[in-house]
Amino acid sequence: VEGLALLNSAGPIDGSFSIQQWEEQARTKTAPPKWIVQLITNALFWYLERTIPGTLKWLYPTAPDRADKWLAEEIYRSACDSGSVAVFASVFYLPPPRALNYMINELYEKPTVLLTGGLDPLNDARGRTSQLSTLSPNAMVTVLEAGHCPHDEQPDQEGRRTRHSTMMTCQPGTPRLHQPTGAF
């Protein structure tokens, strides 16, 4: 494997991340009582199941028509799976996430392409990409004019940028780019 491509990656970006502090936090983390986890998880699922179509339109700002009835039904079907609530509840019991820049720089260490939707309403995508570009010299960060699911919202744009970015970072002997680039 010569490189890694990430689409709208999650996790904190933290220039002061310390694996020793993270290990201590993971070791000492205590979960809330089970009834609180169940209450929060069930309430969230109840709310989200009723708002899937509107939420999808919000997450696809440049192509809301791609957030169609089929996609909403597939998400609803997955949410109704008997194990879905338990999977979501596991966030209360798992260790905190490691910083994305740490994982790219220290654990993976190879060229990484990150494509993200600059219009993602769930986070400051442009700020995150700028910060990651500064902290991860082995990452080529590209901001797409799309929302939370750029690969589905703007598949042609995402495909072109993935091919271009991969060629620029993963070909042996190719000069590396370290600054964020705009939409293609």
Side-chain angles (χ1 to χ4, degrees), residues 129-167:
T129 56
S130 176
Q131 189 178 18
L132 188 60
S133 291
T134 301
L135 296 172
S136 297
N138 58 320
M140 178 182 186
V141 183
T142 300
V143 178
L144 303 171
E145 290 304 310
H148 187 67
C149 303
H151 56 286
D152 190 38
E153 185 179 357
Q154 296 293 339
D156 294 337
Q157 181 188 152
E158 184 276 328
R160 283 193 307 273
R161 293 304 295 170
T162 299
R163 282 189 298 281
H164 172 76
S165 300
T166 302
M167 295 300 290

Side-chain angles (χ1 to χ4, degrees), residues 34-50 79 81-82 84-86 88-89 92:
K34 186 175 181 178
W35 71 269
I36 291 177
V37 171
Q38 290 175 331
L39 178 68
I40 292 170
T41 302
N42 287 328
L44 183 62
F45 266 69
W46 178 86
Y47 171 75
L48 292 175
E49 286 173 357
R50 283 148 184 77
D81 182 275
S82 61
S84 64
V85 172
F88 181 83
F92 292 98

Side-chain angles (χ1 to χ4, degrees), residues 24-84:
E24 178 64 19
Q25 287 175 343
R27 191 177 59 73
T28 59
K29 178 180 178 180
T30 57
K34 186 175 181 178
W35 71 269
I36 291 177
V37 171
Q38 290 175 331
L39 178 68
I40 292 170
T41 302
N42 287 328
L44 183 62
F45 266 69
W46 178 86
Y47 171 75
L48 292 175
E49 286 173 357
R50 283 148 184 77
T51 61
I52 291 170
T55 300
L56 282 173
K57 301 284 184 206
W58 179 60
L59 295 173
Y60 284 62
T62 66
D65 56 306
R66 294 194 58 83
D68 57 14
K69 183 178 178 181
W70 176 86
L71 181 58
E73 289 172 353
E74 283 298 299
I75 291 171
Y76 181 77
R77 184 184 59 77
S78 296
C80 291
D81 182 275
S82 61
S84 64

